[in-house]
Amino acid sequence: MARIGVFICHCGTNIGGVVDVARVVESARDLPQVVFVDDNKYTCSEPGQASVRDAIVENNLDKVVIGSCSPRMHERTFRNTVASAGLNPYMLEIANLREHCSWVHGHDKEEATAKAIELIRMAVAKVSRHEALFPKEAGITKRALVIGGGVAGIQASLDIANAGYEVVLVEREPTIGGRMAQLDKTFPTLDCSACILAPKMVDVGQHPNITLRTYAEVKKVNGFVGNFDVEILQRAKKVDHTKCTGCGTCWDKCPEKVDSKFDLGLGKRTAIYIPFPQAVPPKPVVDTDHCRYIKYLKFTEEGGEGKAPPQCRICEKMCPSQAIDWSQEDEVITEKFGAIVVATGFKTFDHTAYEEFGGGRYPDVITSLQLERLMSAAGPTGGEVVRPSDGAHPKTVVFISCVGSRDRQKQRSYCSKVCCMYMAKHAIMLKEHDPDVQCYIFYIDIRAGGKDFDEFAVRAQEEYGALYLRGRVSKIYPEGKKLIVLGEDSLMGRPVEIPADLVVLATGIEPSDGAAEVAQTLNISYDTHHFFVEAHVKLRPVETQMDGILLAGCCIGPRDIPESVAQGGAAASKVTDLFSQESLITDPMVAAIDPAKCSGCLLCVELCPFNAIEPGTTRDGRTIAVVNESLCKGCGLCTAGCRCGAANLRGFTQQQLLAEVASLWQ
Amino acid sequence: MEEESGQSIFQCYQCGKCTAGCPVSYAMDLTPRQIMRAIQLGLKDDVLSSSAIWVCLSCQTCSARCPIEIDIARVLETLRHQAVREKVKPGDKHIETFQRIFLGLIENRGRVHELELGVRYNVASKDPLAHSSLAVGMLKKGKITKIRPGRVKGASEIKELFRKVRSLEARAASQEPGEKSD
Amino acid sequence: MMETPYSYYPGCTQLSSAKEYDVSARLVCKKLGIELRELPDWTCCGASAAHTLDETLSVVVPARNLVIAEKEGLPLATACAMCYSRLKIAAHELGDAQKLERFREVTGKDFGNSVEVLHLLQILDSEKVSYPVERPLQNLKVACYYGCLLTRPRETVGFDDEEDPHKMDSLMAAVGAEGVEWAFKTECCGASLPFSRPDIVVKLSHRILRNAKQAGADCVAVACPMCHSNLDANQGDMKKAYADDFTLPILYFTQLVGLALGYSAHELGLEKHFVDPRPMLKSKELA
């Protein structure tokens, strides 16, 4: 027989102004196993809590019901109150007499009071079946994994490393730097992008707490917050980076030329290469798809017909440090981490989908990122903005906004946020490169919401003579050496035809290739566009639904550099929060499976959305299901689905819930 | 108009791609984008009396390129039908005359004979010798093979179809006096 | 290669101003063993007139022919792009059960809307048909002009890409010619406006021909009598209105294929065009 105490809170007039608290108190006295009933003006206050505590002690209560506001407000408070009186904090049930009662039935006090009486009855029935619950402790591996070496990932790595923890930064490309490394200048300050990024990149490369794994990918993730087991695929670089000094002889001498991905097809690189001069690590990798020696090896291995291709191996012969190592193979490395930051970044929309713009067939129709490469002094043309077709300097440049954005037809209804600003930047930069150039910008709206952003866009027009035309472009076609652009100035309501030398398309932002696979590996949510989903769009912008996995940067959605940097820092702080704890306290209100009842059908394993249930064996070799309490979020799906009644959710057991329901008929 | 044309006119954010790609927008008093805006603002008279809805070639370039996937050509066509129904003075007299004569020939002959079409149009537009060089050229090259228009067996069936459709429409119009909803 | 025979819908212009299209199409099909049976008692498809003025007539007028075609039980082939468009759109509209019911009421016919409407370009698709070429059209650069009706609206009539279609180009390649890359493949020529607004037709057609010429074309291939007429008959007016001086022969694609299959220029009606293609063809030893 329990000794239940019931405490009804007036909550000022929030509850008391609608519900007749005195009647609720009276009716509670008659409930089974209730030995003490009291009411209070503000139970959550110091005196309020004290009175509850005293009542528990004086009346030897072992279970408590509090009729008050929503548990979302004060569950933790009242659990502490109950605990301070010497009881297990889970011997408490809260009946929501405010959000579920007085606040929604304020117009009918009779109904509200009747409902409050029933809510208390249900709570008493439930709490009578409560058992003591004890949170468990789990250890935390205080090492962080950062996936993605763009500016967001770089910032996160540095912040976590500076806080004194080990970080492994995994990046798919041979260098870190991401998209920001490809930019020439950044708006609105027109800082040189590489100049502001390179110091951070070097810091990452040299930081004692950061292990940089480039040319690597995360393949598998198991485990839970504080205890992730991760398999990383380190691709073979064919270069021993411990010996390599980055002298550059090999890529100087390599005879094989390949289209440079970094320069977006506008320039070439060699088969052994670093993507750009300030790469970190500044040491090359061998592109085994294009290396002549690798081709030769494949040929001899597969016993090809005809003449064998040349062996080459020039890099090996020329390397002063004997750093070329053909014996390197792809390696799988397994490591443990306590937290993971995902910063996989973005790529740009493939504009060849717009056939009306040439479908990629016109070399002088380029993307904005390609223009950045042309403008960059380290780019394929040494900073000369020239037409890809004939190398001439363009005098008339037309910019087109929203290519692959705000376009339902191309399944990209969203706005990519940064394009209006970078088009203004491009107009300014082009005028600086060549005072004779005239820029035309076709826009629909100008989105310039950040600090000094609007002034920047206005400057492009006032000081740099960019002509903004409001309207979309319908078609581009070549005529002689020019590209005829057919658009409309909707403000004058007239069609516009411009013979351009160069057309730059502001292509939209979308998640990097393979984003969906990364999300599935980590078991985090992603939307129709493959952007990763935050735990709460407004209040938890860098967290996911999976504890211990954080997000930063454009993998979440289109955003600007300062936002990505801020989010890198925010994600880092969540990680250091976690790591500053000694151990993880796990919520005891999780599922438990009774091995005696479990039939081993493993339906719950399928049902669990958090992969928290695994098959296990009893000592006598029978298959059963076992809950990983650290992963379990207490959603109850297994409990609902279990056919044998073996699964039960602690704190919301089937017996407790049925008692609540049954109490309504008493 | 949204209902009749089946298009979400209010989702148009006036980007202008339709007008930019329309081969005849230069010859319109209201461009396709402006027509969409005018509908949004309820400017019925402006729209129904415009030349735009007549000059439109129904080439569908606008509909094919609209980022909101609005079938703008269909909207203009629906407007034109409404203008015809409500007997609004056509924004382009020549085009309307031509099409009306053409339709009349289909109704009465079943198949259209081009010389007859040309002659009737010239008479109706009070310019009997227009395109005469073209006509002479075509005759010379034997492109117009029969001077006298012939009759087709299906002609009477076609005439009957026209009559039926017209009477059904007249009945529908009399049942709903006043304007149909836009 | 024997295929099923097709019901053939010529369209009004095939009897007169586009006679050479009809003739060349029939000759080509004969050589390829494709049987075309003229649809009995066919009437006008409604062209631009019906859909310009009346919604119901725009469906009823062409659909009358679909009823006949359904009785014949064969797929319906047509050469004119406008006829193809109206017939196909009518069939599409009658896919709506309510509209089909009304149609049955109005016509008094029990129509199942089961006719497959095809354009000659689909039937003569070089991927499906092999061409016994006798006279490959070597060194002939052709600007394949599809016009605005064959590829739009995509969901209803489209059998090729809207902005850069290739079926005709592939066909030209199959007979030894070269389809040039150019930007005005599907831009409208001015359609039904030559009588009422010849100014528009001259401007639009001129734009098309200018781009074809700049792309290096020797001639333009078309698949529609309206396009042919607009592009062919106005080149004199174009010279008057615009400074550039060029003439470009306009040929039906079936005429080009016919030449490749061994027919003579006279058989294919090449002398009927306003811009005589024979000098150009003779200079390439193709006619």
Side-chain angles (χ1 to χ4, degrees):
Chain A
M1 280 296 288
R3 292 180 63 77
I4 299 176
V6 178
F7 302 86
I8 316 287
C9 185
H10 288 248
C11 196
T13 52
N14 275 311
I15 297 176
V18 174
V19 172
D20 186 345
V21 174
R23 265 175 49 205
V24 178
V25 166
E26 275 314 305
S27 74
R29 290 192 204 285
D30 297 330
L31 294 172
Q33 304 187 52
V34 171
V35 302
F36 180 84
V37 188
D38 196 10
D39 63 309
N40 221 300
K41 261 284 183 300
Y42 297 99
T43 315
C44 53
S45 66
E46 278 274 2
Q49 291 192 50
S51 77
V52 171
R53 201 179 313 137
D54 293 344
I56 293 174
V57 170
E58 282 162 17
N59 294 278
N60 219 358
L61 303 176
D62 55 19
K63 288 179 179 170
V64 170
V65 167
I66 300 183
S68 66
C69 55
S70 164
R72 278 176 162 262
M73 291 291 296
H74 285 311
E75 182 174 63
R76 187 177 293 187
T77 318
F78 292 144
R79 284 215 181 122
N80 288 340
T81 314
V82 164
S84 70
L87 293 183
N88 179 288
Y90 293 89
M91 299 301 228
L92 165 72
E93 181 68 12
I94 295 176
N96 186 343
L97 300 184
R98 194 178 74 171
E99 283 87 334
H100 280 187
C101 192
S102 65
W103 272 4
V104 292
H105 301 299
H107 54 278
D108 192 330
K109 296 189 178 164
E110 258 317 303
E111 269 204 5
T113 307
K115 184 169 178 180
I117 291 173
E118 288 187 339
L119 286 173
I120 296 293
R121 188 157 76 222
M122 287 164 69
V124 167
K126 179 160 185 280
V127 85
S128 68
R129 282 163 178 73
H130 272 205
E131 288 172 357
L133 298 177
F134 302 94
K136 296 215 175 76
E137 277 186 21
I140 307 175
T141 308
K142 297 187 186 184
R143 300 174 78 238
L145 170 66
V146 177
I147 307 178
V151 71
I154 288 172
Q155 188 61 49
S157 306
L158 287 172
D159 287 347
I160 299 172
N162 286 336
Y165 301 104
E166 263 184 76
V167 178
V168 174
L169 172 53
V170 173
E171 164 58 52
R172 184 161 69 178
E173 297 296 321
T175 176
I176 54 175
R179 295 288 83 77
M180 196 174 162
Q182 291 175 297
L183 302 180
D184 177 39
K185 304 265 191 296
T186 55
F187 60 77
T189 49
L190 298 181
D191 282 315
C192 156
S193 183
C195 308
I196 54 177
L197 183 62
K200 286 196 194 264
M201 286 169 60
V202 171
D203 280 349
V204 166
Q206 293 179 346
H207 205 293
N209 282 345
I210 301 181
T211 306
L212 181 54
R213 285 197 176 278
T214 54
Y215 220 46
E217 284 179 71
V218 170
K219 281 301 175 193
K220 222 181 193 186
V221 175
N222 280 320
F224 52 96
V225 56
N227 298 276
F228 291 109
D229 289 305
V230 180
E231 274 179 29
I232 301 170
L233 173 67
Q234 173 66 65
R235 288 164 56 200
K237 299 178 183 178
K238 302 295 188 195
V239 176
D240 185 345
H241 279 202
T242 60
K243 293 195 185 137
C244 172
T245 57
C247 69
T249 313
C250 56
W251 66 74
D252 238 0
K253 303 290 181 205
C254 175
E256 184 73 16
K257 303 275 186 282
V258 183
D259 273 339
S260 164
K261 187 168 150 190
F262 190 81
D263 284 335
L264 301 161
L266 291 173
K268 300 267 185 210
R269 54 140 173 104
T270 45
I272 184 170
Y273 72 107
I274 55 168
F276 63 102
Q278 299 101 323
V280 169
K283 300 176 182 178
V285 305
V286 173
D287 174 2
T288 51
D289 288 331
H290 291 100
C291 167
R292 292 187 184 181
Y293 179 53
I294 301 290
K295 282 200 191 130
Y296 166 84
L297 288 176
K298 267 208 193 89
F299 180 88
T300 46
E301 220 177 80
E302 286 157 18
E305 288 184 6
K307 197 166 147 226
Q311 268 199 55
C312 188
R313 298 170 83 164
I314 291 178
C315 51
E316 190 187 354
K317 294 176 197 146
M318 309 288 321
C319 177
S321 322
Q322 281 95 50
I324 307 291
D325 182 3
W326 301 111
S327 70
Q328 267 186 20
E329 292 295 332
D330 290 351
E331 235 191 296
V332 173
I333 298 157
T334 314
E335 297 206 33
K336 282 196 181 307
F337 299 100
I340 302 176
V341 176
V342 187
T344 49
F346 74 94
K347 68 173 188 216
T348 52
F349 179 81
D350 182 2
H351 72 279
T352 59
Y354 284 93
E355 282 286 353
E356 57 263 45
F357 296 160
R361 280 168 287 130
Y362 306 145
D364 295 329
V365 174
I366 62 174
T367 66
S368 39
L369 208 50
Q370 285 177 315
L371 181 64
E372 295 277 350
R373 295 314 305 144
L374 289 177
M375 293 196 299
S376 166
T381 55
E384 290 285 324
V385 177
V386 292
R387 285 155 43 104
S389 63
D390 59 8
H393 287 96
K395 294 297 176 192
T396 306
V397 181
V398 171
F399 293 87
I400 301 178
S401 66
C402 307
V403 176
S405 301
R406 304 184 67 187
D407 193 327
R408 196 176 302 178
Q409 201 198 50
K410 302 280 185 269
Q411 281 100 52
R412 305 275 191 284
S413 321
Y414 58 87
C415 166
S416 289
K417 197 166 180 182
V418 297
C419 326
C420 286
M421 284 306 295
Y422 71 56
M423 286 198 299
K425 173 186 74 170
H426 288 162
I428 292 175
M429 293 307 307
L430 285 186
K431 199 76 171 179
E432 299 250 325
H433 276 242
D434 181 355
D436 290 333
V437 97
Q438 174 61 51
C439 293
Y440 298 92
I441 301 182
F442 280 98
Y443 72 101
I444 308 172
D445 296 294
I446 301 182
R447 297 192 164 168
K451 194 147 77 158
D452 296 329
F453 279 15
D454 203 79
E455 295 90 321
F456 184 79
V458 168
R459 230 173 100 205
Q461 299 176 64
E462 287 183 354
E463 288 176 39
Y464 292 85
L467 188 61
Y468 273 72
L469 297 160
R470 193 197 174 275
R472 269 196 194 263
V473 165
S474 183
K475 192 176 169 107
I476 304 172
Y477 65 93
E479 196 171 89
K481 287 195 174 199
K482 298 274 188 185
L483 287 164
I484 309 294
V485 178
L486 297 179
E488 193 209 7
D489 176 44
S490 61
L491 297 177
M492 277 305 288
R494 293 191 196 162
V496 167
E497 204 176 290
I498 304 179
D501 296 313
L502 186 68
V503 177
V504 184
L505 305 177
T507 43
I509 285 180
E510 42 191 59
S512 300
D513 281 330
E517 284 72 33
V518 169
Q520 286 174 359
T521 305
L522 294 165
N523 205 30
I524 57 177
S525 308
Y526 56 100
D527 66 17
T528 35
H529 303 292
H530 294 190
F531 285 116
F532 301 150
V533 176
E534 318 91 308
H536 188 284
V537 163
K538 292 286 198 188
L539 297 178
R540 298 175 69 197
V542 296
E543 297 164 77
T544 61
Q545 290 286 5
M546 300 300 280
D547 288 343
I549 301 183
L550 292 317
L551 302 170
C554 285
C555 62
I556 309 174
R559 57 212 48 200
D560 191 10
I561 292 169
E563 288 169 319
S564 294
V565 170
Q567 291 184 334
S573 106
K574 300 285 176 209
V575 170
T576 51
D577 276 356
L578 175 66
F579 288 2
S580 67
Q581 297 170 56
E582 280 310 311
S583 54
L584 273 179
I585 310 290
T586 60
D587 186 346
M589 292 176 93
V590 291
I593 296 178
D594 184 347
K597 291 194 186 146
C598 175
S599 69
C601 74
L602 301 184
L603 175 64
C604 50
V605 175
E606 304 273 331
L607 289 174
C608 178
F610 301 99
N611 290 345
I613 308 185
E614 282 166 350
T617 32
T618 58
R619 260 182 305 182
D620 51 348
R622 203 163 44 88
T623 307
I624 53 165
V626 178
V627 177
N628 178 334
E629 297 192 2
S630 306
L631 279 175
C632 174
K633 294 236 176 281
C635 73
L637 265 175
C638 54
T639 309
C642 178
R643 299 177 266 225
C644 321
N648 226 339
L649 188 57
R650 293 199 197 110
F652 289 95
T653 63
Q654 310 214 42
Q655 295 73 21
Q656 287 164 2
L657 296 177
L658 283 170
E660 270 191 301
V661 174
S663 75
L664 287 173
W665 275 267
Q666 280 157 13
Chain B
M1 189 39 57
E2 276 201 338
E3 221 186 284
E4 227 188 291
S5 65
Q7 302 304 311
S8 327
I9 293 177
F10 279 89
Q11 294 190 353
C12 166
Y13 57 69
Q14 297 283 295
C15 74
K17 195 160 178 177
C18 49
T19 304
C22 173
V24 287
S25 64
Y26 77 92
M28 291 178 171
D29 50 358
L30 287 174
T31 62
R33 180 189 53 79
Q34 288 174 322
I35 296 270
M36 296 297 288
R37 185 66 184 149
I39 302 173
Q40 287 176 346
L41 296 175
L43 301 172
K44 185 175 167 193
D45 291 333
D46 292 60
V47 163
L48 292 186
S49 58
S50 71
S51 68
I53 59 178
W54 292 96
V55 173
C56 169
L57 302 164
S58 294
C59 75
Q60 297 272 337
T61 304
C62 51
S63 310
R65 293 186 185 154
C66 173
I68 310 290
E69 298 187 296
I70 299 175
D71 190 344
I72 300 155
R74 180 111 185 86
V75 173
L76 263 71
E77 178 147 297
T78 312
L79 288 171
R80 197 170 50 233
H81 293 166
Q82 189 177 6
V84 168
R85 267 202 318 270
E86 296 185 11
K87 303 199 178 16
V88 176
K89 178 153 169 255
D92 187 308
K93 201 175 57 170
H94 295 290
I95 297 177
E96 191 270 341
T97 305
F98 175 78
Q99 302 290 20
R100 195 171 11 94
I101 292 175
F102 197 144
L103 196 60
L105 285 177
I106 300 176
E107 179 176 0
N108 288 305
R109 307 253 184 271
R111 294 181 193 170
V112 176
H113 184 75
E114 286 153 306
L115 190 58
E116 185 179 4
L117 174 58
V119 166
R120 283 186 187 269
Y121 173 73
N122 281 359
V123 167
S125 56
K126 302 196 176 63
D127 193 357
L129 292 172
H131 309 299
S132 48
S133 56
L134 180 68
V136 168
M138 288 176 93
L139 276 167
K140 263 204 196 141
K141 288 182 179 289
K143 271 178 175 280
I144 305 182
T145 48
K146 283 193 236 174
I147 300 285
R148 213 168 282 121
R151 226 152 249 259
V152 174
K153 272 187 278 180
S156 53
E157 223 179 76
I158 277 274
K159 201 153 183 178
E160 181 56 24
L161 272 176
F162 267 74
R163 196 197 59 76
K164 266 212 194 109
V165 170
R166 292 249 160 79
S167 75
L168 276 170
E169 285 171 347
R171 209 187 312 149
S174 65
Q175 275 169 359
E176 289 171 51
E179 295 165 4
K180 260 189 153 163
S181 59
D182 281 25
Chain C
M1 40 185 316
M2 285 309 296
E3 293 181 37
T4 73
Y6 294 90
S7 281
Y8 180 56
Y9 180 87
C12 306
T13 51
Q14 302 284 57
L15 301 177
S16 53
S17 63
K19 190 120 184 90
E20 59 271 26
Y21 191 13
D22 184 52
V23 164
S24 57
R26 289 184 199 258
L27 286 176
V28 167
C29 286
K30 190 166 100 179
K31 202 59 158 302
L32 298 173
I34 298 172
E35 191 189 337
L36 298 175
R37 297 185 194 163
E38 186 164 326
L39 195 69
D41 199 31
W42 59 269
T43 47
C44 182
C45 69
S48 55
H51 83 81
T52 298
L53 297 171
D54 188 293
E55 174 80 38
T56 313
L57 285 173
S58 77
V59 172
V60 167
V61 171
R64 180 188 168 271
N65 298 291
L66 293 177
V67 173
I68 302 174
E70 193 174 66
K71 249 206 233 71
E72 297 293 306
L74 300 170
L76 183 60
T78 182
C80 168
M82 176 56 112
C83 301
Y84 168 74
S85 176
R86 295 325 307 173
L87 288 166
K88 196 107 178 149
I89 291 178
H92 178 83
E93 291 288 306
L94 292 175
D96 173 277
Q98 251 188 346
K99 289 189 184 161
L100 184 58
E101 198 42 53
R102 269 209 69 165
F103 177 73
R104 289 197 186 118
E105 273 173 39
V106 169
T107 56
K109 299 263 200 303
D110 183 20
F111 178 56
N113 198 26
S114 63
V115 182
E116 191 190 0
V117 178
L118 299 162
H119 186 269
L120 273 190
L121 271 176
Q122 288 173 291
I123 295 165
L124 298 175
D125 190 339
S126 55
E127 284 178 26
K128 300 194 190 128
V129 174
S130 59
Y131 287 84
V133 175
E134 286 180 26
R135 184 204 282 134
L137 303 178
Q138 281 166 348
N139 302 320
L140 185 66
K141 293 200 181 190
V142 183
C144 293
Y145 178 65
Y146 296 75
C148 62
L149 298 173
L150 284 181
T151 59
R152 294 191 287 258
R154 200 189 324 125
E155 304 83 38
T156 318
V157 308
F159 58 86
D160 204 341
D161 185 84
E162 286 171 300
E163 305 276 353
D164 189 31
H166 278 280
K167 284 235 163 27
M168 211 195 296
D169 296 80
S170 308
L171 184 46
M172 288 298 115
V175 298
E178 183 194 329
V180 300
E181 279 258 356
W182 65 306
F184 276 70
K185 284 182 177 178
T186 56
E187 296 284 329
C188 187
C189 64
S192 55
L193 301 184
F195 281 95
S196 44
R197 290 296 298 267
D199 58 303
I200 292 181
V201 170
V202 168
K203 182 175 166 118
L204 265 49
S205 296
H206 172 257
R207 247 178 24 153
I208 293 166
L209 292 181
R210 206 176 114 119
N211 193 266
K213 187 77 185 177
Q214 286 187 341
D218 298 309
C219 62
V220 178
V222 298
C224 168
M226 192 83 258
C227 300
H228 187 279
S229 172
N230 283 345
L231 294 174
D232 182 46
N234 292 299
Q235 292 193 24
D237 285 334
M238 284 181 213
K239 266 213 193 83
K240 284 190 208 146
Y242 298 97
D244 40 20
D245 180 20
F246 62 87
T247 45
L248 214 46
I250 316 292
L251 291 127
Y252 290 103
F253 77 96
T254 44
Q255 290 176 314
L256 286 171
V257 174
L259 276 176
L261 292 179
Y263 289 108
S264 73
H266 176 71
E267 284 173 301
L268 295 165
L270 291 184
E271 72 274 11
K272 287 200 192 284
H273 299 335
F274 277 84
V275 178
D276 194 344
R278 291 171 299 178
M280 181 274 296
L281 290 169
K282 267 208 188 74
S283 74
K284 296 191 186 280
E285 294 171 17
L286 293 172

